Amino acid sequence: FEDVGKDEIDPDKLRQRQELQCLGHLLMKVHQVDRAKELYETLLKKRIEPGEKAYYYHQLGLIRTRKDQYSEAVKTFEEAI
């Protein structure tokens, strides 16, 4: 997940990012929230665009909400802003 300049959009890297986002969403749908959490936390450690960072933090906030970790969810949602 290398940063790509605005003039250099690599379709393969874009597709890979989209596939990983879909995988995380699917994991949440099939109640594999711990695996989705692990995926999103791993993706946050990569060099990513600000919009992606917001998306991953939002997804982590949803996961924490599902796990009744409301105070942690609020902090995570704030990171998404």
Side-chain angles (χ1 to χ4, degrees):
F1 296 116
E2 301 168 46
D3 276 346
V4 177
K6 293 182 182 176
D7 298 330
E8 311 171 21
I9 296 175
D10 183 340
D12 292 328
K13 289 180 183 171
L14 180 61
R15 190 174 315 109
Q16 182 182 22
R17 289 175 179 176
Q18 291 170 336
E19 289 170 355
L20 289 171
Q21 289 175 0
C22 288
L23 174 60
H25 186 73
L26 179 63
L27 287 169
M28 289 177 62
K29 282 238 182 234
V30 296
H31 306 287
Q32 296 289 320
V33 292
D34 290 330
R35 292 183 71 194
K37 179 179 179 277
E38 182 180 325
L39 174 66
Y40 291 128
E41 287 174 343
T42 300
L43 291 170
L44 279 169
K45 293 176 185 171
K46 306 291 183 184
R47 295 175 63 189
I48 55 176
E49 298 293 323
E52 289 176 290
K53 185 176 181 179
Y55 174 80
Y56 299 144
Y57 275 116
H58 176 79
Q59 294 302 102
L60 286 169
L62 293 176
I63 290 168
R64 290 187 171 116
T65 300
R66 284 188 183 184
K67 296 178 101 177
D68 298 330
Q69 299 170 342
Y70 300 113
S71 61
E72 289 299 314
V74 169
K75 292 176 190 172
T76 307
F77 285 128
E78 288 173 347
E79 288 286 331
I81 298 174

